[in-house]
Amino acid sequence: MSAPERIPPRSVTSVELLTRGELTVRGRIREASNAALYCTVAHEGREATCVYKPVAGERPLWDFPDGTLAGREVAAYEISEATGWGLVPPTVLRDGPYGEGMCQLWIDVTPEAELLALVDGEEPEPGWKAVAFAEVGDGKTALLVHADDERLRRLAVLDAVINNADRKGGHLLPTEDGRLYGIDHGVTFNAENKLRTLLWGWAGEPLTQEAVEVLGTLREGLKEGGELAVRLAGLITGAEVDATHARVDALLASGRHPEPSGEWPAIPWPPV
């Protein structure tokens, strides 16, 4: 018997496999704050590993009272695909062994890739962007920096659009083929501004021309009756869709990466 065909992340086949394949639970991801199950999914001789997060395993959040974590995870994937950047692994909403939930393709990470660091001094080295000073024990501080990497910059734009309240270092997945994926988008799309991220290195800087063009495409898709707005309507509330459209408009009007508001902690905790 031949081994199942392995599916590359960015393919139509991967979405079909996640949607139609048979889910088999192999274990639980214990680090996750909500139920997250490590699974295989198989269909017509193809197989992949994936993460399945059933809605039944979600803990209620007082500041995200509407919708589900699973719905917001899939909505983040829809926005990512609309940008053309492919920053979120294929993610679908489907039934599984424990009811409806989010199913996302598992991404194998290249551990050698360095995207975040704590360094001495008050200024970052070339190729790095400063985020903030952090306490490292014994009354000492170090400068938290992230790579000046176009993949991270694209992700910073995506996070601003989806209003990501929890962009931590552990949610960044660099791969052997040079791609970068972001995961864990359950606390996104709130109608109130809740952006919390480690990717503040470009705060206040002009958006790239590429980002402006992508945001223009998103604005068209998010108009009332637009294809993207229709897809999101089944995943998040109408108010959240409208707020997403408004955030895109605001980014285009300013032409710059957003800055911390000062109204709440700008960096998630723990940061990794």
Side-chain angles (χ1 to χ4, degrees):
M1 182 176 177
S2 60
E5 178 185 349
R6 308 302 290 185
I7 304 300
R10 296 215 69 202
S11 70
V12 174
T13 307
S14 63
V15 173
E16 179 186 18
L17 178 59
L18 291 173
T19 303
R20 301 179 61 189
E22 180 180 357
L23 272 178
T24 302
V25 177
R26 303 297 184 185
R28 181 168 184 172
I29 302 172
R30 297 190 179 278
E31 296 83 2
S33 56
N34 293 275
L37 304 174
Y38 180 76
C39 302
T40 55
V41 58
H43 181 67
E44 295 184 345
R46 299 184 174 96
E47 183 178 277
T49 50
C50 61
V51 177
Y52 162 54
K53 299 181 181 180
V55 172
E58 296 180 3
R59 295 189 302 176
L61 299 172
W62 68 266
D63 52 345
F64 284 81
D66 301 317
T68 63
L69 304 181
R72 291 189 285 269
E73 293 250 28
V74 180
Y77 169 69
E78 293 288 355
I79 293 284
S80 169
E81 287 300 283
T83 66
W85 288 335
L87 295 169
V88 178
T91 312
V92 304
L93 196 64
R94 57 161 293 169
D95 285 330
Y98 300 102
E100 184 179 64
M102 177 277 275
C103 189
Q104 184 176 83
L105 197 68
W106 181 270
I107 300 297
D108 291 318
V109 177
T110 302
E112 295 80 12
E114 190 173 15
L115 298 173
L116 298 164
L118 287 167
V119 299
D120 294 328
E122 297 187 357
E123 296 292 335
E125 296 291 329
W128 294 86
K129 305 289 286 186
V131 178
F133 287 98
E135 293 186 10
V136 293
D138 297 327
K140 297 180 180 179
T141 61
L143 183 63
L144 176 63
V145 297
H146 65 65
D148 187 2
D149 185 310
E150 73 167 7
R151 301 170 301 171
L152 288 179
R153 191 166 190 171
R154 289 171 174 173
L155 196 58
V157 174
L158 176 69
D159 283 344
V161 171
I162 67 176
N163 197 14
N164 193 348
D166 195 34
R167 175 60 72 206
K168 297 176 180 177
H171 301 166
L172 305 174
L173 306 184
T175 63
E176 190 175 2
D177 62 0
R179 297 197 62 84
L180 175 71
Y181 293 95
I183 60 168
D184 284 353
H185 297 111
V187 286
T188 50
F189 293 102
N190 201 298
E192 298 180 8
N193 189 356
K194 292 183 178 290
L195 184 60
R196 286 190 291 267
T197 177
L198 290 179
L199 304 181
W200 287 115
W202 297 281
E205 292 188 15
L207 295 166
T208 64
Q209 183 59 37
E210 177 194 49
V212 170
E213 292 172 1
V214 165
L215 289 168
T217 299
L218 290 181
R219 177 160 61 181
E220 288 300 309
L222 287 166
K223 287 182 177 179
E224 185 175 357
E227 182 179 350
L228 181 56
V230 170
R231 290 205 301 273
L232 293 181
L235 301 166
I236 58 178
T237 68
E240 290 167 338
V241 175
D242 291 343
T244 304
H245 193 184
R247 286 192 295 272
V248 172
D249 281 343
L251 286 166
L252 286 168
S254 72
R256 295 180 178 276
H257 287 267
E259 299 182 76
S261 69
E263 298 175 0
W264 59 84
I267 296 175
W269 188 262
V272 177

